[in-house]
């Protein structure tokens, strides 16, 4: 049994959040994980990283290889009368570049890759809002009898 106090999946999530928080282009942006409440109206930009799903293969050689998909929602508000997608565009650009720059081997993953798919959502509030969600797939490994990261 591993001495880990967190699952491999939670470790993947925290690695992605840390990478986004480290991006100079996102320094003024609030980055949160698995947030279920709306982002405060005081925050004009925010990124929320969520675990969506993890699928493992049948254990082989005492290990399970997982593909975990994370949703990275880039949210921006803009002044009334302006296109909120323009405000979100800067976030998407910086987040995509930062996620693409993660070296899987350096963080203990087998592989990672961004899906070439962006889901856009708009909300007309006091300040128009645009959310653009990108998906990241991460391949990682656990022992067959545990969800802890492999040592």
């Amino acid at each position: 049994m591993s001495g880990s106090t967190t699952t491999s999946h939670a470790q993947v999530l925290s690695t992605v959040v840390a990478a986004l928080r480290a991006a100079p282009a996102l320094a003024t942006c609030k980055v949160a994980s698995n947030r279920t409440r709306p982002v405060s109206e005081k925050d004009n930009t925010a990124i929320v990283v969520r675990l969506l799903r993890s699928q493992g293969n049948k254990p082989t050689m005492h290990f399970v290889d997982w593909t975990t998909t994370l949703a990275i929602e880039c949210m921006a508000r803009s002044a009334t009368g302006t296109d909120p997608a323009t405000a979100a565009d800067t976030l998407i650009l910086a987040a995509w570049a930062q996620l693409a720059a993660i070296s899987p081997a350096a963080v203990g993953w087998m592989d990672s890759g961004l899906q070439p798919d962006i889901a856009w959502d708009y909300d007309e509030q006091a300040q128009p809002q645009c959310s653009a969600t990108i998906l990241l797939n991460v391949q990682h490994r656990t022992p067959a009898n545990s969800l802890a990261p492999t040592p």
Side-chain angles (χ1 to χ4, degrees), residues 24-136:
L26 299 172
T28 61
C29 180
K30 182 176 188 165
V31 179
S33 62
N34 291 327
R35 186 177 178 91
T36 57
R37 295 181 184 196
V39 173
S40 169
E41 287 189 21
K42 294 181 281 183
D43 296 315
N44 285 328
T45 60
I47 295 177
V48 178
V49 182
R50 293 184 183 92
L51 287 166
L52 284 185
R53 65 185 158 275
S54 290
Q55 184 167 351
N57 67 347
K58 192 172 185 179
T60 322
M61 303 283 292
H62 308 288
F63 294 101
V64 174
D65 293 339
W66 295 89
T67 297
T68 295
T69 303
L70 299 100
I72 297 88
E73 181 181 4
C74 302
M75 184 279 301
R77 291 188 175 92
S78 65
T80 301
T82 62
D83 183 0
T86 302
D89 199 54
T90 304
L91 288 181
I92 300 163
L93 186 64
W96 189 281
Q98 192 70 7
L99 295 170
I102 295 173
S103 168
V107 295
W109 302 342
M110 296 164 59
D111 197 11
S112 66
L114 289 157
Q115 291 185 20
D117 184 12
I118 300 173
W120 302 86
D121 188 34
Y122 298 89
D123 192 5
E124 190 65 41
Q125 301 177 9
Q127 284 184 288
Q129 176 180 315
C130 176
S131 293
T133 303
I134 54 182
L135 301 177
L136 174 70

Side-chain angles (χ1 to χ4, degrees), residues 13 94 104:
L13 176 68

